[in-house]
Amino acid sequence: FPSWTLFLAVCAVGIGGTFQYGYNVSIINAPTQHIHRFLNETWISRYHMELSPDLLTFLWSVIASIFSLGGLCGALIGGSMAIRLGRKGALLMNNIIAVLAAILMGISFPTGLFELLIVGRFLIGINSGIGICVQPLYIGEVAPKHLRGGMAMGSSIFLTGGILTGQIIGLRELLGGEMYWPLLLSSSSFPAFAQLLFLPWFPESPRYLLIDRGDELSCAKALKRFHGSLQYQREMEDIQQECFALDGEKPRKPWQLFTDRGVRWQLITVIVMTMGQQLSGINAIYFYATYIFEQAGISAEKIPYVTLGTGACECLTALTCGLLIDYVGRRYLIIGGYLLMIFWSIVLTFSLTYQELYSWVPYVSMTSIFAFILSFGLGPGGITNTLTAELFIQSSRPAAYMIGGTISWISFFTIGMLFPFIVKGLKQYCFLVFLLECSLVAAFIFLVIPETKNKSFLEVKKEFHKLNFGGKNKEKETELYERRQLHDE
């Protein structure tokens, strides 16, 4: 088990990191009708005419989707912030963006300016993009090798916890009512204030202090805080070995990774896994959830409470995955998760096809929805970010997270734009498309990705050298590559 300092540090970075992403994805659903009314009333007061349905749909789409555009911008600058300000410094600075966004969204209704709502959603998207990039960096670098998988799952645990919290706070009995929706949207300031209050008490990432800043004394102090005065030496030796192997190499830019043969397959892996996570069909599951609940006889008033079950499922599987990942291993969990998602996609396609023929079929569909969410959380939902941290050494890791984050937000935006057309054209057979995608990603992981459990970052790098410099001349190619790197330095 991690020390209390290490555990509390993960909580401190999580509350203002991926928690914000999950929370702000979730809370926008509850006040949809109230925001529609606000947009229409504002338009009438300005122009003395009602909004046309098409323009209303367009404005709502902008409010909902500009969050993704902000997230993309945040992913593009998150790695640079982590290098210049440090992992801890970047997270603290990020909260200023969250507080400003919360203020703008909160005052949009009393001022009658829906433009503030759009700007606020864009800013909170930037905050989420930075958080989802920098938080896994910090956790992956402070965790000891034997606990790295479980602690890295803290990102997914806080993300799913944010989704569930947003679903609860968004209930009409709390802040989901018509009078309180501005408070609901501005409530994202509370996680930001919590992180500003607690995170300064914890040290910066020891790897960042020694490898990027060359501050061995501060690194040793941070390791003693995290691991205790008796256990820190082993971690110190691991960091020193990586520092020696890097030999003064500076943090790399994202475009440099695309031209570096030494990280070719690590980069391909991150791109495939990130796209696979976003395009796996999890968005389709949530789209069909309300329809399936209605078919099962659940009244429209009670559906928001049943939907809480989906959030609870994700949270439960993130916790379960965190407990299992350092025992079972990354490969077994992520491949198993994709295989289970393939199976439940088949079941769901059949049950949706025969939804109205038998009274018991909707309950099969409900079971499939929850099982699909559980399978996603057990594998792709949690382990993708963990592997991104483990596949790269210190100099390449921030750039890798920038690339992974960019791919994730572009995929998120793309599926949001194309998904309604896919569903309209294929109906329930859209899950066959996601089934094929899950099959391809599972096959790629099985063939390419080695097990990273209990391995140092340097050991994982050596595993990938077999792919990056494969063939009979592997050792010679590796030596030439390393000489070229030294010459560039």
Side-chain angles (χ1 to χ4, degrees):
F1 292 98
S3 66
W4 276 109
T5 303
L6 205 52
F7 173 76
L8 293 174
V10 171
C11 294
V13 297
I15 193 65
T18 52
F19 182 91
Q20 286 279 37
Y21 170 75
Y23 187 73
N24 285 285
V25 163
S26 180
I27 60 172
I28 196 64
N29 296 318
T32 300
Q33 297 303 319
H34 309 318
I35 294 175
H36 281 188
R37 194 173 297 112
F38 164 60
L39 292 171
N40 199 41
E41 290 173 355
T42 303
W43 200 266
I44 291 172
S45 66
R46 287 185 188 180
Y47 306 108
H48 309 292
M49 58 183 294
E50 286 193 1
L51 267 172
S52 66
D54 290 340
L55 187 54
L56 178 62
T57 302
F58 172 75
L59 287 175
W60 169 246
S61 298
V62 170
I63 291 170
S65 62
I66 202 167
F67 175 81
S68 302
L69 183 59
L72 176 59
C73 294
L76 289 171
I77 64 174
S80 299
M81 287 180 64
I83 293 168
R84 293 184 181 183
L85 305 175
R87 286 43 166 161
K88 175 181 165 183
L91 288 168
L92 289 173
M93 186 64 68
N94 193 30
N95 291 300
I96 297 174
I97 301 174
V99 173
L100 178 59
I103 292 171
L104 292 177
M105 290 188 288
I107 65 174
S108 61
F109 179 69
T111 57
L113 296 170
F114 62 80
E115 294 86 353
L116 295 180
L117 189 56
I118 296 172
V119 175
R121 285 287 293 174
F122 177 72
L123 289 175
I124 201 66
I126 292 177
N127 169 268
S128 299
I130 294 171
I132 209 169
C133 175
V134 180
Q135 180 191 333
L137 266 179
Y138 182 91
I139 295 177
E141 291 176 6
V142 303
K145 183 168 56 178
H146 64 288
L147 293 175
R148 193 167 59 228
M151 288 183 59
M153 280 300 300
S155 297
S156 294
I157 292 169
F158 276 93
L159 191 154
T160 55
I163 292 174
L164 181 60
T165 305
Q167 289 173 338
I168 295 170
I169 300 297
L171 293 172
R172 59 178 176 271
E173 291 84 357
L174 296 174
L175 295 182
E178 185 173 2
M179 296 296 294
Y180 303 111
W181 69 263
L183 292 175
L184 175 64
L185 296 182
S186 62
S187 62
S188 56
S189 61
F190 289 103
F193 284 125
Q195 188 172 76
L196 285 170
L197 180 64
F198 295 113
L199 186 55
W201 295 96
F202 297 97
E204 177 59 88
S205 158
R207 287 182 183 273
Y208 173 80
L209 291 171
L210 180 57
I211 298 176
D212 291 287
R213 287 286 177 255
D215 191 345
E216 189 168 346
L217 182 60
S218 295
C219 174
K221 287 181 179 178
L223 286 172
K224 287 178 182 178
R225 285 278 310 279
F226 284 133
H227 305 295
S229 57
L230 298 178
Q231 303 293 329
Y232 85 97
Q233 194 62 44
R234 182 174 56 185
E235 294 299 320
M236 188 72 177
E237 290 172 1
D238 185 43
I239 298 173
Q240 286 172 334
Q241 285 176 4
E242 186 174 350
C243 185
F244 179 76
L246 286 168
D247 193 27
E249 183 181 346
K250 300 295 182 184
R252 315 193 73 188
K253 307 297 185 203
W255 54 87
Q256 291 177 313
L257 298 192
F258 286 101
T259 58
D260 184 356
R261 185 175 179 180
V263 295
R264 178 184 297 171
W265 279 100
Q266 293 97 309
L267 194 59
I268 293 172
T269 298
V270 167
I271 293 171
V272 170
M273 288 197 308
T274 303
M275 291 182 67
Q277 183 189 47
Q278 289 292 345
L279 308 178
S280 62
I282 191 69
N283 298 297
I285 287 291
Y286 284 116
F287 180 87
Y288 268 104
T290 300
Y291 164 72
I292 291 169
F293 295 153
E294 287 173 350
Q295 291 293 307
I298 299 170
S299 63
E301 294 78 15
K302 293 181 179 178
I303 284 177
Y305 303 97
V306 179
T307 305
L308 288 177
T310 61
C313 272
E314 280 198 278
C315 207
L316 177 65
T317 49
L319 287 166
T320 305
C321 187
L323 294 172
L324 292 176
I325 188 172
D326 285 316
Y327 294 96
V328 178
R330 285 65 157 155
R331 272 171 56 88
Y332 287 117
L333 281 177
I334 195 167
I335 293 172
Y338 273 116
L339 292 177
L340 286 172
M341 288 163 70
I342 291 167
F343 172 76
W344 290 113
S345 293
I346 296 170
V347 174
L348 194 55
T349 301
F350 278 105
S351 63
L352 287 172
T353 302
Y354 301 105
Q355 185 88 350
E356 298 177 0
L357 290 182
Y358 305 100
S359 59
W360 50 269
V361 175
Y363 296 100
V364 176
S365 299
M366 282 184 63
T367 302
S368 300
I369 278 184
F370 285 104
F372 190 99
I373 292 171
L374 287 167
S375 304
F376 175 81
L378 194 62
I383 296 175
T384 301
N385 270 340
T386 303
L387 280 172
T388 303
E390 294 180 328
L391 298 184
F392 295 88
I393 56 175
Q394 187 79 7
S395 59
S396 302
R397 198 174 299 120
Y401 267 106
M402 290 171 70
I403 293 170
T406 301
I407 296 294
S408 179
W409 286 101
I410 291 174
S411 301
F412 182 69
F413 180 77
T414 303
I415 196 68
M417 294 295 292
L418 297 181
F419 177 70
F421 299 101
I422 296 173
V423 172
K424 187 177 180 180
L426 298 177
K427 295 184 169 54
Q428 71 272 17
Y429 298 108
C430 69
F431 286 101
L432 297 179
V433 176
F434 300 125
L435 181 155
L436 176 62
E437 190 270 348
C438 289
S439 301
L440 293 173
V441 175
F444 175 87
I445 293 169
F446 177 78
L447 294 171
V448 172
I449 303 178
E451 179 56 68
T452 59
K453 182 180 74 170
N454 289 334
K455 292 179 181 176
S456 68
F457 297 126
L458 287 177
E459 289 170 336
V460 174
K461 180 185 177 183
K462 288 178 182 177
E463 290 273 353
F464 271 94
H465 267 299
K466 299 172 186 176
L467 287 169
N468 294 323
F469 304 99
K472 295 179 180 179
N473 297 321
K474 176 177 74 68
E475 291 183 6
K476 187 177 180 180
E477 288 277 0
T478 304
E479 184 180 348
L480 287 172
Y481 165 77
E482 289 174 349
R483 285 181 180 176
R484 211 161 36 241
Q485 290 290 99
L486 287 171
H487 180 266
D488 291 343
E489 286 296 315

